[in-house]
Amino acid sequence: MTRSPELPEPYDVDVVIVGGGPVGLLVAADLDSRGVSTVVVEDRPFLEPPNVKCNHVSARTMEAFRRLGLADAVRSAGLPADHPQDVAFRTSATGIEFGRIEIPSAAARRRGDGTGPDTTWETAEPPHRVNQRYLEPILERHVAALPHVDLRNDTRCTGVAQDDDGVTATLRGPNGGTEVTVRARYLVGADGGRSLVRKSIGARLHGDPVLQHVQSTCVRVPGLADQVDADPAWGVYVFNPRRQGHVYAIDGRDVFLVHTYLTPEEAADDSVDRDRAVRDILGLGDDVAYEVLSKEDWVARRLVADTFRDRRVFLAGDAAHLWVPYGGYGMNAGIADGLNLAWLLGAVVTGWADDAVLDAYAAERQPITDQVSRLAMGHLRKIGATDLPAHLESDDAAGEAARRELGELAYRLNVQQFAAAGLNFGYSYTGSPIIVPDGDAPDYTMGSYTPSTVPGCRLPHVWLGDGVSLYDRLGPWYTLVVAGRTGAPDAGWDHWVAAARSAGLPIELVVVPDDLVPASYVTRYAIARQDQHVAWRGDVLPDDPSALAALLGAVRARAAVAA
């Protein structure tokens, strides 16, 4: 079900997207797959690398990349293919190692022989560690080539105005060029923490404005890896009496991102010597030269917008929420926002749903954003409360005991964020207007969850054979998933699906063979959206497909029910 590329007056485009980072680019890519036209406005030049920020692409995001045909390109980017994506705990980046979270390399993922806490996950695509400097150009090149996307780099949005019929965005082109306006049905603000779009709709951020102060320094240190008496790692958590911080391998050779964590007193009086802190974290002597590639001072926060929508204008990503970037879930949560919103906007623009379905966006994403941000904040506080043992660097039995104790504690605390099954798979869209309730969703934590077909939950993954995932078979809108063939003829399912389509619900059919049905599929039938969230389940298909179609947002069925 796709729409004509022709737009009736007075619209220039279906959707304007302000912000061409990962969130905005994924909104454009998803809408393009539905035949929806977009203009993407980004003030940075085309393919200009962003600052070294997010280093982690979650499994849920990788599953979306798989659907869009990008997973292989993303998994091939960043660190060398055989570079472990482990997280090590050391007294400095070149010091004594006393613990490690094993995370497989990209090559081991492809071979299927990696070890680690996330290797047993039921997912079509495991997570991948790649810095945003490598990820974003892949997305940008992909989006620039799409037929329904007008990507405008070197362009700034200077104003947003809306009325009952549409949104007008005022844009200024390269080098302070002439202002132009673009008229659209809807506008998405994916323009970051200082969002102009958020300000334009009067939304305000609320929460905890200061949780931690951080100095980030990206450095090139040739030969640093040769000084390490341990296997390579993607991330290193450094604990020593002089300075604590994190180090992330950017290219797997000589470029590293160093996070220096400051006390409130140090932040207040600006007393930390950046060079000294970098040397203490990396374990470099004063005689070792390194190059500073970039630096940024930032504040860890937990802030969520009080509204994600004003009529035809929506917020996504950092424009809607800012929180502690543990595990990279700032970017990944923003992408989840964008894909959720793109599915809903696509439903309206292609005509099978009306504007009422858009109420699901804030109803689904805003509560989850608050939950996830609180999990991240709680994790930060647990780590901040960790005392540094005495004798940590001693070369004796007391030192060995101290390192063993801290290593075990650091593993328990941090394996949750680096193998965050709960943040990937555990959240549920309870209370959505297009989710038909049936039971309570299982509780989840940052690191754990229970697979479930309770409506609102993620449809548990199934491999159908020959590398084909159940998710590969989901249609662009809804899919009726039948758990096993026994007991009902195929013709009955086809007849029901045809009746639902006649009622205006775009729906496909997938049958999972009996021997592949997971125990978590406790009902015979489930209807899932393309984003893998269950919308309805039951042991018997409804006698009136039109009534269910109306509940799931089909405008034609809603009109019939109302009549």
Side-chain angles (χ1 to χ4, degrees):
M1 181 180 292
T2 58
R3 64 184 302 277
S4 167
E6 296 181 2
L7 287 166
E9 293 293 342
Y11 301 111
D12 302 305
V13 68
D14 291 317
V15 181
V16 170
I17 302 166
V18 182
V23 176
L25 293 171
L26 264 295
V27 173
D30 189 278
L31 287 172
D32 177 87
S33 72
R34 305 177 195 285
V36 177
S37 61
T38 63
V39 166
V40 181
V41 182
E42 171 55 46
D43 60 2
R44 289 184 294 114
F46 183 62
L47 296 182
E48 177 181 274
N51 289 336
V52 282
K53 293 182 179 179
C54 180
N55 285 286
H56 173 221
V57 181
S58 72
R60 286 299 291 270
T61 301
M62 287 299 297
E63 289 172 350
F65 287 159
R66 179 188 181 99
R67 172 169 61 83
L68 294 168
L70 294 167
D72 285 344
V74 171
R75 202 173 295 282
S76 298
L79 300 173
D82 59 353
H83 193 291
Q85 298 185 7
D86 299 355
V87 176
F89 308 113
R90 297 176 185 159
T91 56
S92 71
T94 58
I96 305 169
E97 182 169 319
F98 51 87
R100 177 177 288 248
I101 300 171
E102 292 187 344
I103 302 172
S105 68
R109 296 279 196 199
R110 285 195 167 98
R111 293 192 305 266
D113 60 3
T115 59
D118 65 5
T119 55
T120 59
W121 288 359
E122 293 297 332
T123 176
E125 291 287 345
H128 179 61
R129 270 71 186 178
V130 55
N131 190 268
Q132 195 168 328
R133 289 178 65 86
Y134 299 106
L135 170 66
E136 200 164 306
I138 294 172
L139 305 182
E140 203 166 8
R141 288 189 182 93
H142 175 77
V143 168
L146 295 175
H148 302 299
V149 179
D150 178 3
L151 177 59
R152 301 189 187 184
N153 289 93
D154 287 308
T155 301
R156 182 181 298 273
C157 179
T158 58
V160 173
Q162 65 173 314
D163 51 53
D164 291 342
D165 300 315
V167 187
T168 301
T170 304
L171 312 180
R172 186 179 293 279
N175 303 315
T178 303
E179 284 192 338
V180 299
T181 59
V182 177
R183 181 74 170 164
R185 288 180 168 85
Y186 302 99
L187 183 142
V188 177
D191 51 337
R194 297 182 175 88
S195 172
L196 175 144
V197 177
R198 184 181 65 242
K199 296 171 185 175
S200 78
I201 65 173
R204 295 180 179 274
L205 295 171
H206 297 276
D208 301 281
V210 179
L211 293 172
Q212 191 171 55
H213 292 268
V214 184
Q215 285 183 351
S216 290
T217 312
C218 186
V219 297
R220 177 178 286 113
V221 193
L224 182 67
D226 297 334
Q227 302 180 40
V228 179
D229 187 23
D231 290 336
W234 160 71
V236 178
Y237 273 36
V238 170
F239 302 85
N240 67 57
R242 297 168 297 285
R243 180 59 58 188
Q244 297 184 40
H246 301 164
V247 181
Y248 294 100
I250 302 302
D251 64 356
R253 294 181 294 276
D254 56 12
V255 178
F256 302 88
L257 179 63
V258 181
H259 290 327
T260 301
Y261 293 96
L262 313 182
T263 67
E265 294 75 21
E266 289 172 334
D269 61 18
D270 194 25
S271 61
V272 173
D273 182 320
R274 185 183 294 267
D275 171 71
R276 183 75 267 153
V278 168
R279 292 183 182 278
D280 286 343
I281 291 171
L282 293 179
L284 299 180
D286 292 340
D287 59 333
V288 178
Y290 67 88
E291 178 185 1
V292 175
L293 302 179
S294 66
K295 55 186 179 181
E296 180 181 9
D297 295 345
W298 53 278
V299 178
R301 314 176 188 275
R302 191 201 71 84
L303 298 171
V304 180
D306 52 11
T307 181
F308 281 24
R309 175 194 181 189
D310 177 29
R311 294 169 289 163
R312 293 176 175 269
V313 177
F314 300 81
L315 304 178
D318 285 355
H321 46 73
L322 293 163
W323 64 62
V324 187
Y326 277 111
Y329 282 91
M331 181 192 76
N332 289 288
I335 288 173
D337 294 341
L339 295 175
N340 178 294
L341 179 57
W343 189 88
L344 294 165
L345 289 173
V348 176
V349 173
T350 57
W352 69 262
D354 61 16
D355 280 2
V357 80
L358 298 175
D359 292 341
Y361 177 59
E364 293 180 357
R365 290 304 304 166
Q366 199 160 1
I368 298 308
T369 295
D370 188 66
Q371 289 176 26
V372 172
S373 69
R374 291 182 186 278
L375 286 172
M377 179 180 67
H379 186 71
L380 169 67
R381 288 176 171 166
K382 288 178 183 178
I383 291 177
T386 303
D387 293 327
L388 195 67
H391 312 294
L392 187 65
E393 296 179 295
S394 299
D395 187 19
D396 55 20
E400 289 183 7
R403 289 190 291 273
R404 181 173 60 254
E405 177 184 352
L406 181 59
E408 291 172 353
L409 176 60
Y411 183 95
R412 288 197 305 272
L413 287 176
N414 289 288
V415 73
Q416 299 175 63
Q417 65 157 319
F418 292 113
L423 293 192
N424 272 273
F425 311 129
Y427 60 86
S428 173
Y429 291 152
T430 303
S432 169
I434 54 171
I435 300 289
V436 182
D438 177 18
D440 296 326
D443 292 334
Y444 72 101
T445 67
M446 178 178 280
S448 64
Y449 85 110
T450 302
S452 175
T453 59
V454 168
C457 293
R458 168 187 180 260
L459 181 74
H461 180 258
V462 181
W463 285 112
L464 299 179
D466 297 326
V468 177
S469 164
L470 172 60
Y471 299 159
D472 298 336
R473 300 284 304 280
L474 296 181
W477 305 108
Y478 287 107
T479 301
L480 173 63
V481 179
V482 181
R485 292 185 174 276
T486 305
D490 294 7
W493 306 324
D494 290 337
H495 176 77
W496 193 92
V497 166
R501 288 174 180 163
S502 296
L505 187 72
I507 188 167
E508 306 296 330
L509 171 66
V510 174
V511 180
V512 179
D514 295 83
D515 59 338
L516 298 179
V517 177
S520 54
Y521 282 58
V522 298
T523 62
R524 183 63 185 277
Y525 303 105
I527 293 177
R529 308 187 318 203
Q530 190 180 40
D531 67 0
Q532 303 154 7
H533 284 274
V534 178
W536 171 91
R537 69 174 180 175
D539 284 314
V540 178
L541 291 173
D543 292 334
D544 184 1
S546 182
L548 181 57
L551 291 173
L552 299 184
V555 63
R556 191 192 316 161
R558 288 185 173 184
V561 169

